[in-house]
Amino acid sequence: MFGQHRETSRKAVSNPKIEKQVFGKTADGREADLYTLKNAKGMEVAISTYGATIVRIKVPDRQGKTEDVALGYDSLEGYVHDKAYFGATVGRYANRIAHGKFTLDGHVYMLPKNNGDNTLHGGTVGFNKHIWTAKDVSTPAAPALQMSYLSKNGEEGFPGNLSVEVRFTLNNDNSLKIEYAATSDKDTVVNLTNHSYFNLAGQGHGDILGQEVQLHASRFTPIDANLIPTGEIASVKDTPLDFSKSTAIGARINADYEQLKLAHGYDHNFVLDGNPMRKEVLAARAFDPGSGRVLEVFTTQPGIQLYSGNFLDGTVAGKGGVKYPRRSGFCLETQHFPDSPNHPKFPTTELKAGRWFRSTTTYKFSTQ
Ligand code: GLA
């Protein structure tokens, strides 16, 4: 589906730029692997078959010092118990579906409610809790890993056998390109994202409130007290959600503004500007003044969720045993809008039987 490839994985680990190791075994005996992709610039990305999860992103700062900028765990066990979605591939439907319910082709589909009265990130056992099949699809130019997963008809309440492929390519410009493709044998809904939490100073280095974000979004989808879109599309102008200029995440996060209070910080879907052709465009830029690290996010998707790690509470031990306090990582989740199946005016997340869903997101690192 991304051009020619064979079904066998004979040469799965023969490329020297990808190293494979066993990550661990789940309690029910499923083995998960960890693949490490390295480029010629010293950047390294590790991805597990457990949840097609990005476990590590090592990038240099302006002095050339490399740090892991992704929150996560040292071992598989951490990911098995994880509730924060660190680095995970999220599906079948990223973000929330109100009341765990939607109607498609006249049928009402009921989903498990795993977030109050709503379905969050695919339900009780989302794509992040399954073992994916990995295949080395590297080219001479770049190491690349393709992950596939078949989500069965009725899994977590969703209709259709959905075949999903996510391809990760680590380029020499220090960009990680993620290509998503999915097809179903029955009409369904789909919304896929990656849920990496970034701390550009390095994971475990305190909070991200001093790190800056710029969004190419002049509008957002306001939410209610359950973090469900009201259906309105509102301007960010004159609000603390205006990130048209690069602004520290913490500069206005505690402002007396209803949308921030409802979400306990930033946890909003922004409507990306000017992308009628759905080409990959610059959606967001983040900058850490201390280390000089810059992250640019390019996507074909219509929306992006800026989440400021409000639900992290310092109880979970991450890499190296570090407890991640509140707001110690931020997410830039490229996506279709939350709860779209219940909002006919939002860009559709319906996927017709036999058709392909495709999207692309690139995380590009540099320094300034
Ligand atoms: C998304 C949601 C948040 C939260 C995190 C996971 O960003 O919008 O509300 O659920 O995932 O903790």
Side-chain angles (χ1 to χ4, degrees):
M1 57 197 69
F2 299 113
Q4 55 146 36
H5 63 71
R6 290 191 198 92
E7 281 313 311
T8 57
S9 55
R10 263 176 301 129
K11 297 198 302 167
V13 292
S14 63
N15 191 303
K17 288 176 287 184
I18 295 191
E19 282 160 24
K20 178 189 175 186
Q21 67 193 87
V22 175
F23 197 32
K25 256 193 187 159
T26 61
D28 55 3
R30 295 173 295 154
E31 188 176 285
D33 295 324
L34 186 67
Y35 288 83
T36 305
L37 286 63
K38 290 180 184 169
N39 72 5
K41 298 279 166 58
M43 180 171 166
E44 189 183 305
V45 175
I47 304 162
S48 176
T49 53
Y50 189 81
T53 299
I54 299 176
V55 169
R56 213 162 43 228
I57 304 177
K58 287 185 161 181
V59 281
D61 68 3
R62 62 161 85 85
Q63 252 78 53
K65 186 171 175 268
T66 294
E67 287 263 8
D68 183 356
V69 296
L71 274 61
Y73 310 97
D74 290 322
S75 70
L76 174 65
E77 215 197 332
Y79 291 94
V80 170
H81 297 293
D82 169 81
K83 291 194 171 66
Y85 301 86
F86 286 150
T89 294
V90 178
R92 182 177 303 200
Y93 197 96
N95 212 289
R96 291 174 178 78
I97 296 183
H99 313 299
K101 188 177 166 182
F102 68 95
T103 305
L104 180 65
D105 301 336
H107 296 274
V108 177
Y109 291 97
M110 300 300 295
L111 314 171
K113 295 174 183 175
N114 62 330
N115 182 249
D117 193 40
N118 308 311
T119 303
L120 175 66
H121 293 329
T124 314
V125 188
F127 289 4
N128 57 308
K129 298 290 183 195
H130 288 278
I131 309 259
W132 294 55
T133 304
K135 183 157 62 176
D136 186 338
V137 291
S138 300
T139 64
L145 190 70
Q146 186 169 302
M147 295 280 193
S148 0
Y149 174 63
L150 174 68
S151 169
K152 295 265 174 64
N153 179 37
E155 185 181 298
E156 297 297 301
F158 291 99
N161 291 295
L162 184 78
S163 166
V164 189
E165 293 197 353
V166 183
R167 179 183 286 210
F168 300 87
T169 305
L170 180 57
N171 293 300
N172 277 329
D173 62 354
N174 282 359
S175 69
L176 175 68
K177 183 171 191 162
I178 311 177
E179 295 163 278
Y180 301 86
T183 191
S184 171
D185 59 3
K186 212 172 160 184
D187 292 0
T188 191
V189 295
V190 67
N191 192 22
L192 303 173
T193 194
N194 178 273
H195 209 302
S196 287
Y197 286 65
F198 301 101
N199 183 335
L200 296 179
Q203 65 80 32
H205 287 233
D207 68 52
I208 45 75
L209 296 173
Q211 300 180 19
E212 295 177 14
V213 164
Q214 182 176 19
L215 299 174
H216 293 274
S218 45
R219 294 171 302 159
F220 75 109
T221 50
I223 47 171
D224 66 17
N226 297 312
L227 309 195
I228 296 291
T230 59
E232 189 195 349
I233 293 190
S235 169
V236 297
K237 203 165 183 298
D238 302 324
T239 80
L241 273 69
D242 186 348
F243 282 93
S244 53
K245 293 195 189 86
S246 189
T247 308
I249 296 171
R252 302 161 300 180
I253 200 166
N254 295 318
D256 186 11
Y257 180 66
E258 196 200 9
Q259 283 293 313
L260 287 175
K261 292 193 162 153
L262 290 173
H264 312 285
Y266 294 103
D267 194 350
H268 296 85
N269 171 64
F270 289 79
V271 178
L272 293 170
D273 289 337
N275 191 9
M277 302 307 287
R278 295 274 170 265
K279 292 235 169 69
E280 207 180 54
V281 294
L282 181 62
R285 183 180 189 274
F287 170 60
D288 172 37
S291 66
R293 287 193 189 89
V294 173
L295 163 62
E296 288 168 303
V297 183
F298 300 82
T299 190
T300 60
Q301 291 275 37
I304 197 166
Q305 186 89 4
L306 169 63
Y307 171 56
S308 49
N310 313 306
F311 296 125
L312 299 176
D313 59 6
T315 55
V316 170
K319 294 171 187 171
V322 173
K323 300 227 162 123
Y324 294 128
R326 188 157 191 242
R327 298 175 177 163
S328 56
F330 64 85
C331 302
L332 289 165
E333 303 154 61
T334 56
Q335 61 183 4
H336 271 66
F337 307 170
D339 198 29
S340 293
N342 294 309
H343 292 279
K345 288 194 177 136
F346 288 174
T348 186
T349 49
E350 289 180 20
L351 176 63
K352 293 281 175 212
R355 304 292 297 270
W356 283 94
F357 165 84
R358 284 173 204 281
S359 75
T360 303
T361 291
T362 298
Y363 293 123
K364 185 173 189 294
F365 294 88
S366 56
T367 58
Q368 176 192 313

